[in-house]
């Protein structure tokens, strides 16, 4: 079937081999500059600029028109968005799909609110790709992805929550603790798609072992893992090794965050998406 997958750029994914796929960018904005989170963004350059920048910075999500213009001529579209609890992206995508279906009554559209971001979104996108290739019809794919999403999880470790707090996505008191030397905030995407801090881990060793413990606690038993890191490939590789030491067959992918997740996860941040037990 001719179905297209469209994700916002919070998934950190620009292309998807063998699928009709498009990424719709969010934007990172300072008073001086706008960074569009697409393939042309120099993420390292943006991180560097922001580390020198003293003013306020914020982000904006794709609007209805941005989503709509990505749909193209297909029998149906699946949109995958960052958590609706922290962004308007889901809402825009829903309005875009509503318009698209009323203008094209023969076409189908469905929006998946990941209640998460980054690596967990990619797990969902890759599952969608697999379901589309197995020639299921639209509603079967929709039902199966709803089921799959109950088993995907996101755990993070953040060294700074400054941009999250400055933009009202976590409270300032929590962010202050993360500012203390050597403390990493380990937590998870909650069931309602917000940040839930589970550990205040001192030092990287502790943070990595807390992440792994929490993965086991969420029913991880050797399924697929994706680690997205912001300027922290060494910690990502260490975690990947810890996982593969215990689960030899585990498939673990490591990649860098793109613009949106780099802005909020900040340098040192790790986002870990994995298949685990039922949420
Ligand atoms: O609409 C917008 O401007 C985008 C706002 C996004 C705000 C949150 C981004 C979080 C990015 C941080 C750690 C993991 C969070 C878990 C999500 C529930 C990554």
């Amino acid at each position: 079937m001719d179905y297209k997958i469209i994700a916002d750029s919070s998934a950190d994914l620009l292309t998807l081999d063998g699928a009709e796929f498009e990424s719709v960018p969010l934007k990172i904005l300072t008073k001086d500059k706008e960074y569009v989170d697409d393939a042309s963004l120099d993420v390292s350059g943006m991180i560097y600029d922001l580390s020198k920048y003293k003013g306020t910075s914020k982000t904006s999500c794709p609007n209805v028109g941005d989503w709509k213009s990505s749909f193209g001529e297909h029998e149906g579209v699946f949109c995958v968005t960052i958590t609706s609890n922290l962004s308007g992206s889901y809402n825009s995508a829903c309005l875009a799909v509503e318009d698209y279906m009323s203008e094209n009554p023969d076409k189908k559209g469905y929006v998946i609110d990941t209640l998460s971001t980054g690596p967990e979104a990619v797990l969902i996108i890759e599952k969608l790709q697999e379901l589309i290739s197995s020639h299921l019809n639209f509603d079967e794919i929709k039902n199966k992805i709803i089921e799959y999403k109950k088993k995907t999880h996101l755990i993070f470790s953040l060294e700074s929550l400054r941009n999250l707090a400055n933009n009202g996505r976590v409270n300032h008191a929590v962010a202050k603790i993360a500012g203390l030397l050597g403390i990493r905030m380990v937590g998870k995407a909650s069931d309602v798609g917000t940040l839930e801090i589970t550990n205040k881990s001192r030092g990287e060793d502790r943070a990595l072992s807390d992440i792994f413990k929490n993965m086991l606690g969420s029913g991880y038993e050797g399924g697929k893992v994706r680690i997205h890191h912001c300027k922290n490939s060494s910690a990502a590789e260490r975690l990947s090794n810890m996982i593969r030491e215990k689960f030899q067959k585990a498939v673990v992918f490591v990649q860098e965050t793109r613009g949106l997740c780099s802005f909020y996860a900040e340098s040192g941040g790790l986002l870990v998406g994995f298949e685990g037990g039922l949420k």
Side-chain angles (χ1 to χ4, degrees):
M1 282 295 182
D2 174 29
Y3 300 138
K4 181 170 181 181
I5 306 170
I6 304 115
D8 67 42
S9 65
S10 74
D12 298 321
L13 196 68
L14 295 169
T15 55
L16 186 63
D17 279 353
E20 279 295 339
F21 174 80
E22 190 166 333
S23 172
V24 182
L26 287 98
K27 290 176 187 155
I28 296 94
L29 309 145
T30 67
K31 290 227 161 61
D32 314 331
K33 208 167 163 178
E34 177 180 285
Y35 302 88
V36 180
D37 190 13
D38 62 13
S40 66
L41 177 67
D42 167 11
V43 178
S44 298
M46 181 194 82
I47 295 171
Y48 177 79
D49 288 354
L50 290 170
S51 72
K52 302 280 166 222
Y53 179 73
K54 296 281 175 266
T56 55
S57 45
K58 58 179 187 175
T59 57
S60 76
C61 65
N63 61 30
V64 181
D66 298 332
W67 278 106
K68 256 186 104 175
S69 57
S70 72
F71 292 171
E73 290 300 318
H74 299 273
E75 288 169 45
V77 293
F78 287 97
C79 302
V80 180
T81 76
I82 187 169
T83 169
S84 61
N85 226 313
L86 299 176
S87 169
S89 187
Y90 174 73
N91 203 35
S92 303
C94 287
L95 293 171
V97 161
E98 245 172 59
D99 268 17
Y100 168 79
M101 285 169 63
S102 66
E103 288 161 14
N104 307 278
D106 56 323
K107 297 194 191 290
K108 290 182 177 263
Y110 180 61
V111 187
I112 299 150
D113 178 357
T114 63
L115 295 174
S116 182
T117 189
E120 188 177 355
V122 179
L123 292 177
I124 292 166
I125 293 164
E126 289 176 340
K127 177 57 80 175
L128 273 174
Q129 178 182 22
E130 187 187 311
L131 295 168
I132 293 171
S133 339
S134 52
H135 304 291
L136 299 173
N137 71 37
F138 196 88
D139 290 327
E140 287 166 337
I141 296 172
K142 178 176 147 184
N143 293 333
K144 285 196 188 292
I145 205 69
I146 293 171
E147 284 310 303
Y148 180 70
K149 199 165 84 77
K150 293 181 184 159
K151 295 187 303 190
T152 57
H153 301 253
L154 181 83
I155 292 181
F156 56 81
S157 164
L158 304 175
E159 291 181 19
S160 165
L161 274 65
R162 194 187 46 222
N163 287 336
L164 281 163
N166 285 343
N167 286 282
R169 264 79 183 191
V170 296
N171 79 44
H172 280 279
V174 175
K176 270 208 181 108
I177 303 172
L180 300 176
L181 216 58
I183 297 285
R184 269 109 174 137
M185 294 300 223
V186 172
K188 61 177 184 181
S190 73
D191 294 346
V192 291
T194 52
L195 281 88
E196 183 178 327
I197 307 293
T198 50
N199 307 73
K200 300 178 179 77
S201 313
R202 190 174 290 276
E204 186 167 275
D205 289 3
R206 193 53 200 266
L208 294 178
S209 74
D210 286 338
I211 293 174
F212 192 46
K213 264 189 233 152
N214 294 351
M215 286 175 69
L216 298 173
S218 296
Y220 180 70
E221 284 178 341
K224 203 164 149 190
V225 183
R226 298 196 60 101
I227 307 173
H228 295 192
H229 66 88
C230 182
K231 302 280 159 214
N232 202 353
S233 56
S234 63
E237 287 303 333
R238 287 183 64 197
L239 180 63
S240 166
N241 291 337
M242 282 164 76
I243 296 165
R244 283 181 294 118
E245 220 164 84
K246 189 160 164 73
F247 299 98
Q248 279 83 26
K249 292 201 175 107
V251 179
V252 185
F253 296 94
V254 174
Q255 70 161 83
E256 292 183 15
T257 47
R258 296 289 306 164
L260 193 274
C261 284
S262 296
F263 176 76
Y264 284 109
E266 302 189 46
S267 288
L270 290 183
L271 305 176
V272 187
F274 61 95
E275 297 173 342
L278 274 182
K279 284 193 267 217

